[in-house]
Amino acid sequence: MSGNFREWMYKRIDEETRNFSEEFKTGVDQFMAFANSQPLAQSNGGKFFCPCSVCKNDKFLLGTRIWNHLYSRGFMPDYYVWYKHGEEINMDIGTSYVDISGNEEVGNVVEDRYVDMVNDAFRYNVSFDDNYHQDGSYQNVEEPVRNHSKKFYNLLEGAKNPLYDGCREGHSQLSLAARLMQNKADHNMSEKLVDSFCEILSEYLPEGNQCTGSHYETEKLMRNLGLPYHTIDVCINNCMIFWKDDEKENKCLFCGAKRWKPKEDRRRSKVPYSRMWYLPIGDRLKRMYQSEKTAAAMRWHAEHQSKEGEMCHPSDAAEWRYFQDQHPRFSEEPRNVYLGLCTDGFNPFGMSNNHSLWHVILTPYNLPPNMCMNTEYLFLTILNSGPNHPRASLDIFLQPLIEELKSFGILESMHTMYP
């Protein structure tokens, strides 16, 4: 797979000649040949869904009309995976990726931890059938494939492409970006310092290297892993958070404390006295079932045999069994998620500065002991930046987490990806 996977779809016009580009014409022929070879077209007299920028796979047309539409209108955005035309994509780690036309061997995934990270983040094992309705709707289409396909291919390229010709195996654009961001966090490096390191690496590595050129490019590459966070302003006295219905308030509804610091420079945006960070837990829990190895481990709590008189995991305790007795419908499905919550505070600046930083961590206790206590499964969910101790106000900061947990009807479908 080249670095520009199907970019020809969106390069219809050659900038120099102002005519249709040769790669676009070749690509359209390849698409038409593939679509016409599928059972959907063969059983319907050469009709299939039109992926042009106007029809957007909503209309069922003859191939000749679709060919005209593609030349006159171009392809719909982000249709890198032809999922409505019978394309199957199997993203198993360590397997070979083959171009849909059958003409080009894409290559084996390099089995290092960065490629594993990409595959786990964007793992979808999707199949399509030819059950469809005449009104244009189509069954068994996984929308996440369309939404994540371009991100997946971009990250996969960053994970498997060597930094430069002849470099050590496993050294890739993504691995270097991950190391840079890890060092930034470990050593409190500024963005300007990361920019400087990127410039130095680009200059000293062999010509044509794939090193990211700045902190922005590095962060953009890593951001495609899709783990968002939200900042929420907090009352300086920890009375409330400015969230949902109270998001536009300018002072605390309980103590009257002001939300914003005084403006020293009118050109500056408003700066709150205190804020918290919330990292949604839903996507991270979903990924426990998007990776085959962790999906199997999520049943460990119910499948392992505990030794009499020994407790090596919370599931061996009498309290766990009592909980299951009280909630039999929940406990009968071993893939339901058991979460443990813990919190603690520390001073990040040492004793010379009175500042209290508190964090809330969730971990799925479905996992065996050697996994659930590893840092990668201790999910940082809430970070309160202080400066004051939250004391009895910790429930104030838990509001976004509680609301998200209440909405977890999605967990019923979460574990169906891997039985």
Side-chain angles (χ1 to χ4, degrees), residues 259-321:
R259 174 179 181 178
W260 310 106
K261 292 182 179 179
K263 273 193 175 183
E264 299 176 358
D265 185 345
R266 291 186 177 274
R267 293 173 297 180
R268 290 184 59 192
S269 58
K270 293 181 179 179
V271 179
Y273 277 101
S274 181
R275 65 172 34 149
M276 62 171 280
W277 281 261
Y278 179 62
L279 291 78
I281 191 68
D283 284 339
R284 288 180 282 176
L285 291 177
K286 286 179 184 180
R287 287 178 183 178
M288 303 299 292
Y289 289 98
Q290 290 169 350
S291 172
E292 194 168 8
K293 55 189 177 184
T294 51
M298 289 293 280
R299 302 191 304 267
W300 182 91
H301 70 98
E303 296 175 350
H304 83 287
Q305 296 294 325
S306 58
K307 294 182 180 180
E308 187 68 27
E310 291 186 11
M311 190 177 80
C312 65
H313 187 271
S315 61
D316 299 330
E319 289 79 4
W320 187 286
R321 292 190 291 272

Side-chain angles (χ1 to χ4, degrees), residues 56-89:
K56 295 182 179 178
N57 282 329
D58 288 332
K59 294 184 178 179
F60 207 64
L61 305 174
L62 282 171
T64 51
R65 289 193 63 189
I66 293 174
W67 188 89
N68 289 328
H69 281 195
L70 293 178
Y71 271 89
S72 60
R73 302 170 177 174
F75 282 88
M76 62 184 282
D78 296 328
Y79 194 52
Y80 293 92
V81 177
W82 301 333
Y83 60 92
K84 274 217 170 180
H85 296 84
E87 180 168 72
E88 295 185 3
I89 180 167

Side-chain angles (χ1 to χ4, degrees), residues 157-175:
E157 281 302 302
K160 60 183 288 218
N161 276 350
L163 264 180
Y164 55 89
D165 292 339
C167 74
R168 186 181 301 175
E169 184 178 356
H171 285 188
S172 63
Q173 183 188 49
L174 184 65
S175 67

Side-chain angles (χ1 to χ4, degrees), residues 81-99:
V81 177
W82 301 333
Y83 60 92
K84 274 217 170 180
H85 296 84
E87 180 168 72
E88 295 185 3
I89 180 167
N90 191 333
M91 298 180 181
D92 286 338
I93 296 175
T95 59
S96 179
Y97 288 78
V98 181
D99 184 72

Side-chain angles (χ1 to χ4, degrees), residues 368-383:
N370 62 331
M371 291 181 68
C372 68
M373 290 294 103
N374 285 351
T375 54
E376 55 263 39
Y377 301 113
L378 298 175
F379 299 142
L380 176 64
T381 306
I382 294 171
L383 187 65

